[in-house]
Amino acid sequence: MTAAVFLTFSLSLFLDLFFRSHGILSVFTPFCIFYYAVVLNWKTALVLAIASAIPAIVFAGSAWPFDLLTYPAVIGLSLWNRRKTGPADPSLRRHLLCGALIPILIFGPKALTLSFDTFLAFLAWLPPHCVLSAVLLPFVLYLLDLFAEKLGLPLYSETIRKRENPPL
Amino acid sequence: MKQNSIRPVQTILLSLAIPAAFLLTVFTWQSIRLFLTRSTLDYFYPFLKASAAAEDAAAHAALAAGKSKNFLASSLAKMQEEVMRLSSQNASLEHLKQENRQLRALLELRQFSGFRPVFSEIIARDPMTWDETFLVDKGAVNGIRAGDCVLAVFDAPDGEGVVTAVAGRITSVSEHTARVSTIFHEDCTLSVFLAESGQFGSLRGKGRGEEPVISWLPADGKYGRGEIVLTGGLSPQTPAGLYVGTVQAGKDGNVSRISDHLYAEAELKAAAKISDLHFVTVLVREADKP
């Protein structure tokens, strides 16, 4: 389990580093936090969020450690999604919403430090990234589940289903 | 019963510890950041290099894929493909041409007495701080130290040819990487010399996407728009006479303004255009050679 978590976080950090170095607001690491907050528990996810926020801050050279606050905030979003998802409410729509919210959650606080002109440019730049993130989140969750299934680890889809149909 | 009596104590301790940890992190953040940068960047160095290597591999694969299409040119559909291939290849070649021009100019840098140029590639940057800071693939093992001057090649302001100008300074160094704060970053300060008025000042980045400001200029000096700004060389880690940019008028239309009734300030039009930068040269003092 530890190896799988380490591998997925390493890969997601690598992808974030690669895409962000090309100007794309990628949020693969927050996707992993979103996934593990449901599959594991919020305390483990919090440790993972803080551990992955540190390299993110160091790579970006951020003046302030916003990621130490925003990465754990993804756990809240994930748990909210899990709580709200029920048998009568199709979860895909809510996952799309969560996917769209994640870039705002991660990059929004940082954008407050920008000048007004740059902030306006950022606002214009954000919607395509939100759409991309909304589409990518379910896909990444599916891929992580496929990987977990191969290793016989707990699955996100099963954990959510348990919530949808709680055992009597 | 015992557990019930412990629970409120734990809650109080937690509610005190969390804000205390938060405040401690905020107040000591600059030291923590320096420590984290030094300790984690070396650990992640192969990771960082892999990202740059993946980019190179993808670019080479794209070019190789293009070359294999040379044999497809017999029908109209194939000719259309050929046109598309050539167009994309031309775009790649334009990019390579620009990169080649930058590299040639960097190699032809004039020698600064007592300084050795260390050629570096940018390996990581963040969209939110794109023009303000980036990470390069050379570090302490190459002799780089915090405070070293970073040069790069940019398109000339008149659009013809290229110009070598100051891009920023090194703010932190690990064994194999170094963090550059560009002249637009708040952490970057530089002594500068205004060539026509003959005055020295201090250049400081303002961050937030704004042009840097030259402060501590004599209040009675006459400063002209377009005046050339060079490095002052007051720091032992920066040679004098490196091109930085020109003086430009501020938002109020004035070239300079008096600050605190003591000194004049002027706005810099930086020669550095950081957004398309891929390579830089760090000027390392010969005395610091590893």
Side-chain angles (χ1 to χ4, degrees):
Chain A
M1 184 67 182
T2 312
V5 171
F6 183 79
L7 195 66
T8 47
F9 270 90
S10 300
L11 185 65
S12 62
L13 271 170
F14 176 81
L15 289 173
D16 277 348
L17 172 70
F18 182 80
F19 285 113
R20 288 181 192 184
S21 290
H22 289 83
I24 298 166
L25 302 172
S26 96
V27 281
F28 286 103
T29 312
F31 285 171
C32 285
I33 296 166
F34 187 92
Y35 178 87
Y36 285 112
V38 170
V39 171
L40 302 172
N41 56 63
W42 71 267
K43 287 175 190 168
T44 315
L46 182 65
V47 172
L48 291 170
I50 291 170
S52 54
I54 289 169
I57 292 165
V58 172
F59 291 160
S62 310
W64 290 102
F66 288 110
D67 292 338
L68 278 178
L69 297 173
T70 55
Y71 276 38
V74 175
I75 299 169
L77 187 68
S78 178
L79 296 180
W80 170 80
N81 173 55
R82 188 186 172 186
R83 187 177 291 241
K84 286 283 178 185
T85 303
D89 189 4
S91 62
L92 180 65
R93 202 171 48 187
R94 209 177 297 281
H95 278 87
L96 291 174
L97 176 69
C98 287
L101 283 175
I102 285 175
I104 299 170
L105 202 63
I106 299 295
F107 297 105
K110 291 181 191 176
L112 296 176
T113 63
L114 301 173
S115 66
F116 185 67
D117 292 344
T118 323
F119 181 72
L120 289 181
F122 169 78
L123 283 185
W125 202 30
L126 195 58
H129 286 91
C130 287
V131 172
L132 185 69
S133 171
V135 176
L136 271 177
L137 178 67
F139 182 66
V140 170
L141 295 177
Y142 172 72
L143 284 181
L144 287 170
D145 254 7
L146 274 183
F147 178 64
E149 196 176 16
K150 294 264 182 207
L151 297 173
L153 300 173
L155 302 181
Y156 179 89
S157 51
E158 277 182 6
T159 320
I160 285 280
R161 204 175 297 131
K162 277 180 198 164
R163 168 71 194 166
E164 283 180 358
N165 304 298
L168 295 171
Chain B
M1 185 69 184
K2 198 178 177 182
Q3 276 187 341
N4 285 342
S5 64
I6 290 170
R7 215 174 175 78
V9 178
Q10 283 180 332
T11 313
I12 291 166
L13 280 176
L14 262 179
S15 56
L16 286 174
I18 291 171
F22 178 73
L23 286 175
L24 193 70
T25 308
V26 168
F27 286 117
T28 58
W29 174 246
Q30 296 308 328
S31 308
I32 294 173
R33 187 173 70 147
L34 201 61
F35 169 74
L36 288 176
T37 304
R38 283 179 183 159
S39 55
T40 53
L41 279 178
D42 280 330
Y43 178 75
F44 284 109
Y45 178 67
F47 210 64
L48 292 160
K49 279 298 278 184
S51 170
E55 184 189 341
D56 290 347
H60 291 153
L63 278 176
K67 279 177 188 167
S68 68
K69 289 180 188 170
N70 282 331
F71 303 102
L72 309 171
S74 56
S75 67
L76 182 62
K78 284 181 182 175
M79 280 180 74
Q80 282 174 338
E81 279 182 23
E82 185 70 7
V83 168
M84 284 175 70
R85 186 188 70 79
L86 287 170
S87 303
S88 65
Q89 200 172 43
N90 188 37
S92 306
L93 289 173
E94 275 300 317
H95 175 71
L96 288 175
K97 197 172 143 188
Q98 189 189 353
E99 205 171 274
N100 188 30
R101 196 176 55 179
Q102 285 187 1
L103 291 172
R104 277 176 183 279
L106 282 173
L107 286 172
E108 286 164 11
L109 274 178
R110 68 185 171 94
Q111 293 297 308
F112 295 98
S113 172
F115 288 89
R116 174 175 58 93
V118 175
F119 180 71
S120 316
E121 186 177 2
I122 296 171
I123 53 171
R125 60 201 304 186
D126 190 74
M128 303 302 290
T129 52
W130 194 259
D131 284 346
E132 293 180 21
T133 178
F134 51 81
L135 205 65
V136 295
D137 67 344
K138 298 284 174 10
V141 291
N142 305 99
I144 295 176
R145 286 177 54 192
D148 285 346
C149 187
V150 179
L151 298 180
V153 177
F154 306 100
D155 289 329
D158 56 6
E160 287 183 16
V162 290
V163 61
T164 304
V166 175
R169 293 185 86 168
I170 302 288
T171 43
S172 62
V173 186
S174 71
E175 286 294 303
H176 301 285
T177 64
R179 164 82 46 201
V180 177
S181 289
T182 68
I183 54 171
F184 301 100
H185 196 282
E186 287 169 332
D187 286 353
C188 184
T189 51
L190 197 66
S191 69
V192 289
F193 176 69
L194 274 63
E196 285 156 43
S197 58
Q199 304 288 2
F200 282 90
S202 174
L203 181 79
R204 188 177 187 91
K206 288 178 79 178
R208 300 162 62 90
E210 293 178 31
E211 288 285 354
V213 166
I214 307 161
S215 50
W216 302 108
L217 290 165
D220 55 352
K222 299 277 179 221
Y223 310 103
R225 190 178 298 186
E227 188 169 354
I228 290 172
V229 180
L230 306 167
T231 52
L234 296 181
S235 158
Q237 283 169 283
T238 312
L242 297 172
Y243 184 60
V244 183
T246 53
V247 173
Q248 70 173 355
K251 282 174 188 166
D252 56 0
N254 295 324
V255 174
S256 66
R257 60 189 167 276
I258 304 297
S259 185
D260 297 334
H261 303 287
L262 288 173
Y263 59 91
E265 277 187 350
E267 198 169 284
L268 178 83
K269 184 175 170 44
K273 301 282 177 285
I274 307 293
S275 43
D276 293 331
L277 207 57
H278 296 288
F279 305 99
V280 293
T281 296
V282 185
L283 290 181
V284 177
R285 276 202 313 172
E286 286 288 0
D288 301 332
K289 199 173 177 179

